[in-house]
Amino acid sequence: TTVKWFWFVIGMGVFVPVLYVLAVNFREAAVAKGGEVADIYGKVAWLTIITWIFYPLVWLFSEGFASFSVSFEVCAYAVLDITAKAIFGFMIMSAHEQLGAPGGEAREYV
């Protein structure tokens, strides 16, 4: 059991700087691009940050403390995966027009 907590702490030590970069450094770059890009980035970044924070929480209470059942753990990870990936992808694809194509020309991907 000591090994799992060791790797949890190591994982969180790597995870926190990634969240910081998403919340601060990348946001500054998006704000520098201006208006709609910053707005879209803000929505997508916070969706990502909030959903990613729940992954270690689910692990903590399911694997770490054994407080959640396996069924709850599987369902929680499924909801997080759908939110973090499918909804994220939908938001990015629906913002295609606002983001524009490089060079000002419209591209269509079929």
Side-chain angles (χ1 to χ4, degrees):
T1 61
T2 305
V3 173
K4 73 178 176 182
W5 290 109
F6 170 77
W7 287 112
F8 180 77
V9 170
I10 295 292
M12 293 307 294
V14 174
F15 179 62
V16 171
V18 170
L19 291 181
Y20 177 80
V21 168
L22 281 173
V24 177
N25 296 359
F26 287 173
R27 185 179 189 297
E28 291 171 357
V31 168
K33 292 204 178 251
E36 292 182 354
V37 172
D39 183 48
I40 292 167
Y41 178 79
K43 291 175 186 174
V44 170
W46 283 111
L47 172 73
T48 302
I49 290 167
I50 290 169
T51 54
W52 283 7
I53 286 173
F54 280 98
Y55 279 98
L57 290 176
V58 170
W59 185 92
L60 191 65
F61 288 106
S62 60
E63 297 289 328
F65 298 131
S67 300
F68 294 159
S69 68
V70 173
S71 299
F72 179 83
E73 178 185 6
V74 169
C75 290
Y77 282 134
V79 169
L80 288 171
D81 286 344
I82 290 168
T83 304
K85 293 163 183 79
I87 294 175
F88 173 89
F90 177 76
M91 289 174 72
I92 294 295
M93 293 304 293
S94 65
H96 178 73
E97 293 296 322
Q98 291 87 0
L99 294 175
E105 60 187 50
R107 290 186 185 178
E108 187 172 320
Y109 298 98
V110 179

